[in-house]
Amino acid sequence: MQAFSVGIGAWQALSASFETGATVVSVARRSLYCQAGTDLLCVGSEAIERGPINILLNDDDWKMLRGSVTVGTRLKFKDNLACGPMDINWSKSIIFAAKCPEATGVTAPQANLKNLWNLLYLQGKGPVAETVGYLLGRQGLTSSDPVMNKVKKKIVYSLKLLKKGWQRPYCRPDLAEAVKNLLGLGPGLTPLGDDFLVGYLSGLTLVGDRNGVSQGLRSELRVLIIDHLAQTNEISQAHLRWACAGYYTEPLILLLTGLAEGNQRHLHPAIINLLQRGATSGTDTAAGLLWALEHGKEMHNGYSMAH
């Protein structure tokens, strides 16, 4: 079967694993994860879209593969056409290695963030969207679930610590506390706290400022995230490592590109597409991105564009 996209992370792992292949470690409806040496790869249908560790198959090939594998199955990945029934063919010409566009000088996204926040409130899902709305005075923060209340309180505390970073960008204890509270927070293959951090990192990349605050924050956060990766699961660790290197999934890249270019026409479909990703992953990622832009005080003549 023929792959039509191979993420840069998957390509690097496969380059060292031609002979041994990879072992399937989990199988879901639209994707599976497999171990190639010390790296995790995600093989799936077109619906999961491109990403640093994603290998995409057309729907027919994915259905055939999905019906043939279980945990423990060995898959082979080859860069030629001599493939067997459990082999996946790929070539260097289909490598996906998109990085976030970086702001320069005082350049900043010229989008109307208020509209993006409104879309997140209307179409987003999960506790992160509700918590950010509470912090911005948009809504209350109530739940009859004591476990969920505890999660929301941790989110509130962590986001306030991240906000402090703009005034005290090198106060490592505050940033470290935020990272330790968010990493691994919530259920799922990629916990909500991890998805928020991915979005937040991407937002810091976009913000251009005169004194380097945003880039100082990003550098500090990347170090802290890598230092505390053991707090979350292996699947999320793989995504976070590539986010720290500046590589993101296609839905997030499309939104980041629209923001960087100030392309209003592309922003609405881009954020809707991101919000639809996973149970809450897309919403959590979008909230992290907007939270970074919200507090980029140098972003637009010294004012946030969310109000």
Side-chain angles (χ1 to χ4, degrees), residues 98-220:
K99 297 190 77 171
C100 174
E102 297 201 18
T104 57
V106 294
T107 302
Q110 297 301 309
N112 184 342
L113 291 185
K114 183 176 181 180
N115 289 338
L116 296 179
W117 279 120
N118 287 337
L119 286 169
L120 185 140
Y121 298 138
L122 289 171
Q123 303 204 28
K125 46 198 174 181
V128 170
E130 183 182 343
T131 305
V132 173
Y134 164 74
L135 287 171
L136 293 177
R138 291 293 194 98
Q139 57 192 35
L141 193 65
T142 60
S143 174
S144 58
D145 183 344
V147 174
M148 190 54 64
N149 281 334
K150 187 175 181 180
V151 168
K152 289 178 181 178
K153 287 178 181 178
K154 276 196 170 185
I155 297 170
V156 168
Y157 177 57
S158 301
L159 269 56
K160 286 181 177 179
L161 289 174
L162 291 177
K163 181 180 178 181
K164 282 184 180 180
W166 293 96
Q167 287 79 46
R168 297 188 291 166
Y170 302 109
C171 187
R172 192 179 179 93
D174 280 353
L175 295 177
E177 186 72 8
V179 169
K180 286 189 286 185
N181 272 275
L182 288 170
L183 273 177
L185 180 62
L189 292 177
T190 56
L192 59 86
D194 299 0
D195 292 326
F196 183 92
L197 285 170
V198 168
Y200 195 76
L201 278 171
S202 73
L204 292 176
T205 304
L206 280 185
V207 176
D209 57 62
R210 294 181 179 87
N211 55 17
V213 171
S214 61
Q215 301 316 306
L217 275 170
R218 183 163 64 105
S219 295
E220 286 289 319

Side-chain angles (χ1 to χ4, degrees), residues 81-112:
L81 296 176
C83 286
M86 297 302 291
D87 295 341
I88 297 174
N89 181 52
W90 60 281
S91 69
K92 290 183 180 180
S93 64
I94 58 173
I95 294 172
F96 176 76
K99 297 190 77 171
C100 174
E102 297 201 18
T104 57
V106 294
T107 302
Q110 297 301 309
N112 184 342

Side-chain angles (χ1 to χ4, degrees), residues 223-245:
V223 171
L224 289 165
I225 288 169
I226 294 299
D227 284 349
H228 295 90
L229 273 181
Q231 287 186 205
T232 192
N233 64 61
E234 291 184 355
I235 289 174
S236 198
Q237 287 178 31
H239 290 285
L240 282 163
R241 283 194 188 94
W242 284 99
C244 286

